[in-house]
Amino acid sequence: MIRVTGLEKKFDRLTVLRDITCEIHEGEAISIIGPSGTGKSTFLRCLNLLEKPTGGHIYIDGEDILAKGANIPKLRQKMGMVFQSFNLYAHLTVLENLTLGPMKLLGKTKSAAEEKALELLRTVGLSEKAASFPDELSGGQKQRAAIARCLAMDPKILLFDEPTSALDPTMVSEVLAVIRRLAKAGMTMVIVTHEMEFSKNVSNRVFYMDEGLIYEEGTPQRIFDNPQKEKTKAFINRIRGFSYAVETEDYDFYAMNGAVKTFCEKYLPPKTVRNVLLLTEELTELQTPPYTLALDYYEKKDTLTMTLESEGELADPFKEGAEIDEISATIIRNYIGTVTREQRDNRNVLVMEVRAK
Ligand code: ADP
Ligand code: MG
């Protein structure tokens, strides 16, 4: 149904996609995973021509969509795209959001469009909200409405770009349930997601993207339980990362602390969360902005690492003669295990393993 060969996308001198080659068959649910910045969104945007690739080919049902004279509006119609943010028209009701496209672009009558829209709203559990405006819906409901709106255009394939990452955690599952149901019904789908459990359950194949390529692909069992290549292994074992950029001296410490707390509470017991917060306070106090603070939790090893990254010098509390008071030093030494220092693209990086227990 979709065949991609040698797809390349450069932004000026930055090569984001180097050589993407893959086939997606009818009825498949493919999930795409990988670190952020590896071009997952760009790949989806190339597929439905929101971005113009700089090389390679994309065939849909045998038709080269990058060829001159390809009917781009028609091809876009074949592919519905669901974004992180819900993109509903705020001034239209939910029902009107669903009927606008089919009436304007598919030439449907109002009554035919409404009949289909109501059926789709039932499918996504929103029958009662047909007359509501987007502002009156929760995030999860908005995203389900956005999915129904895509379906109203009768796409042959649905593309999802992290459909739950803008949602409050309590609303993630209702959206995933809708997507799972579509997969079961045989809808062809490509889903960029950070939800590993979901990816495992919903997809028949997983693409791990890195280095501008589909670095490794396979069944969910293979990718999640038995990845073969180095970077895939590292990524799979890291359940989720969090990073916070501290830009200036006047940064909002409480916002950062809140973000760290929210992240840690997902994975760590309350006592450990308090320790990590203390540690964060001590370590960030020593640093001069701009720098980035990152946390990564590795599920399989049950370890947490804290990473500081800066183009400038990092204050290293573990160096001999570091100017640091006794109390801070004690806290830091108590909670940090192994420390490694490295250079990544001209940035100084300090990786500290946090003693989580
Ligand atoms: P992912 O979705 O995997 O996080 P993206 O596809 O969003 O990654 O981005 C990949 C890289 O391409 C990033 O380095 C990003 O900054 C860059 N990029 C994305 N869109 C543009 C753009 N329109 N112009 C310039 N660079 C871009
Ligand atoms: Mg993205």
Side-chain angles (χ1 to χ4, degrees):
M1 185 166 170
I2 298 184
R3 192 157 64 87
V4 177
T5 56
L7 185 69
E8 180 203 81
K9 174 67 183 175
K10 292 184 178 172
F11 294 106
D12 293 325
R13 285 163 55 206
L14 176 72
T15 303
V16 176
L17 305 178
R18 223 159 20 111
D19 178 10
I20 301 268
T21 296
C22 65
E23 282 191 34
I24 297 165
H25 307 115
E26 193 156 355
E28 280 201 295
I30 306 256
S31 51
I32 301 182
I33 59 170
S36 66
T38 48
K40 302 180 298 296
S41 297
T42 304
F43 177 42
L44 285 195
R45 294 168 63 80
C46 283
L47 278 182
N48 78 347
L49 299 170
L50 288 171
E51 294 288 357
K52 196 171 162 18
T54 45
H57 297 278
I58 301 175
Y59 302 92
I60 295 188
D61 293 333
E63 186 184 353
D64 184 350
I65 67 171
L66 303 178
K68 274 215 177 81
N71 186 343
I72 290 175
K74 181 106 191 293
L75 287 161
R76 277 217 187 103
Q77 247 169 51
K78 287 188 180 182
M79 289 176 280
M81 179 127 165
V82 178
F83 301 87
Q84 263 175 43
S85 50
F86 322 112
N87 295 85
L88 294 167
Y89 297 113
H91 62 290
L92 299 179
T93 64
V94 169
L95 187 69
E96 287 163 349
N97 263 284
L98 265 69
T99 55
L100 183 70
M103 283 160 58
K104 268 200 163 162
L105 301 170
L106 304 180
K108 280 197 179 178
T109 63
K110 189 168 181 220
S111 67
E114 284 185 348
E115 191 180 332
K116 176 79 179 170
L118 289 169
E119 180 196 319
L120 289 168
L121 286 175
R122 257 196 308 281
T123 311
V124 301
L126 291 177
S127 294
E128 286 177 354
K129 300 291 179 188
S132 303
F133 285 90
D135 276 353
E136 300 167 316
L137 305 184
S138 73
Q141 290 170 335
K142 276 185 212 168
Q143 192 61 308
R144 285 185 280 145
I147 294 171
R149 189 181 56 176
C150 270
L151 291 169
M153 293 300 289
D154 239 340
K156 295 198 67 176
I157 177 161
L158 276 183
L159 310 175
F160 291 90
D161 193 359
E162 298 193 25
T164 59
S165 61
L167 293 176
D168 195 278
T170 56
M171 292 168 187
V172 169
S173 66
E174 66 191 55
V175 172
L176 296 184
V178 164
I179 301 174
R180 207 175 286 122
R181 179 166 170 182
L182 293 173
K184 267 199 186 135
M187 186 80 208
T188 311
M189 305 198 283
V190 181
I191 311 158
V192 174
T193 184
H194 281 301
E195 304 281 345
M196 299 297 151
E197 268 312 303
F198 168 70
S199 165
K200 234 182 228 182
N201 297 333
V202 78
S203 41
N204 63 306
R205 275 195 296 156
V206 179
F207 294 173
Y208 172 77
M209 275 182 69
D210 212 326
E211 299 186 348
L213 306 166
I214 296 175
Y215 179 87
E216 185 166 353
E217 72 160 283
T219 62
Q221 285 73 23
R222 178 182 147 128
I223 296 295
F224 291 109
D225 300 335
N226 193 20
Q228 302 295 309
K229 296 175 76 176
E230 224 33 62
K231 289 194 169 178
T232 322
K233 284 184 198 168
F235 181 78
I236 294 302
N237 291 329
R238 185 196 83 167
I239 190 71
R240 181 102 200 206
F242 155 89
S243 83
Y244 199 94
V246 178
E247 312 275 358
T248 65
E249 293 285 354
D250 306 324
Y251 79 102
D252 185 344
F253 172 76
Y254 293 99
M256 180 180 78
N257 225 34
V260 169
K261 184 160 178 270
T262 308
F263 174 79
C264 290
E265 279 173 347
K266 269 197 202 161
Y267 307 112
L268 307 172
K271 180 162 172 285
T272 314
V273 176
R274 281 196 299 278
N275 294 347
V276 174
L277 286 171
L278 253 173
L279 191 59
T280 306
E281 194 173 334
E282 294 297 340
L283 282 168
T284 53
E285 191 141 281
L286 299 172
Q287 306 303 326
T288 315
Y291 64 91
T292 305
L293 169 82
L295 291 170
D296 291 282
Y297 180 68
Y298 296 80
E299 188 180 44
K300 294 225 167 115
K301 292 185 282 177
D302 193 23
T303 56
L304 180 75
T305 63
M306 186 178 285
T307 305
L308 289 166
E309 200 174 320
S310 170
E311 276 176 23
E313 283 293 308
L314 285 167
D316 186 337
F318 305 95
K319 273 238 172 82
E320 291 229 8
E323 283 184 31
I324 175 171
D325 66 65
E326 258 326 288
I327 298 175
S328 302
T330 311
I331 292 173
I332 292 169
R333 298 211 177 101
N334 267 345
Y335 296 134
I336 298 283
T338 328
V339 180
T340 49
R341 300 167 184 83
E342 46 187 275
Q343 287 269 318
R344 288 181 201 155
D345 306 329
N346 288 327
R347 294 165 72 82
N348 295 308
V349 183
L350 189 64
V351 185
M352 295 157 282
E353 195 174 302
V354 180
R355 292 192 227 273
K357 295 283 137 57

